[in-house]
Amino acid sequence: MAQEMVITKEIIITEETKPKPPLAAIVYGEIIYWGTLLGAIIATIGTAFAFIAGKNYRDIPQVFSLAWQGNNIATVWNEVIGKLPQGHWYLTKLSSGDGLTMFGIAFGVFAVIPAMFFSGLALLKQKEYLFSALAFIAGLICIVAFLGL
């Protein structure tokens, strides 16, 4: 009988063998991470302020009541403040809990815009012209969306 010999090879991953992530990925990831984290902290503070201080742009218990009744967003806003807010309504209401909460959410989402442009610059530095152009185009699309155009 022939004996089978199995040779196993252990691969030890050290700092020297680990592949380094691309610069553009690091830049994008860091900006998204910190922007989202800061936005979440602001939104959490705004939510706490909304419930503790009770200084809100809209009546929070009424909003919850209407939402749990199954009303759509337009009905909820029309019942609570008389109209459906447009654009970045929260910028004029930052002293209210729900305005601050919405600002935190918007800030976290906004982080994608500088992340796109700075990662585009990193790609340009690495001579990745196609991907750099795509990052800049995506950044412009995000700006247009953020402005509501």
Side-chain angles (χ1 to χ4, degrees), residues 28 112-113 115-121 123-124 128-142:
Y28 182 85
V112 76
I113 294 172
M116 281 292 187
F117 285 113
F118 283 111
S119 66
L121 289 173
L123 287 164
L124 195 59
E128 294 283 351
Y129 301 116
L130 175 63
F131 292 116
S132 177
L134 291 173
F136 287 123
I137 291 168
L140 290 173
I141 291 170
C142 291

Side-chain angles (χ1 to χ4, degrees), residues 20-34 115 119 122 126:
K20 295 206 183 235
L23 177 63
I26 294 170
V27 168
Y28 182 85
E30 287 291 320
I31 294 171
I32 291 293
Y33 175 81
W34 290 108
S119 66
Q126 296 172 329

Side-chain angles (χ1 to χ4, degrees), residues 38-58 60 93-105:
L38 184 57
I41 290 169
I42 293 169
T44 303
I45 292 169
T47 303
F49 186 67
F51 284 105
I52 294 170
K55 185 177 181 200
N56 296 305
Y57 174 57
R58 57 195 177 180
I60 300 295
K93 309 288 185 209
L94 289 177
S95 62
S96 68
D98 43 1
L100 191 58
T101 301
M102 190 63 219
F103 175 74
I105 294 168

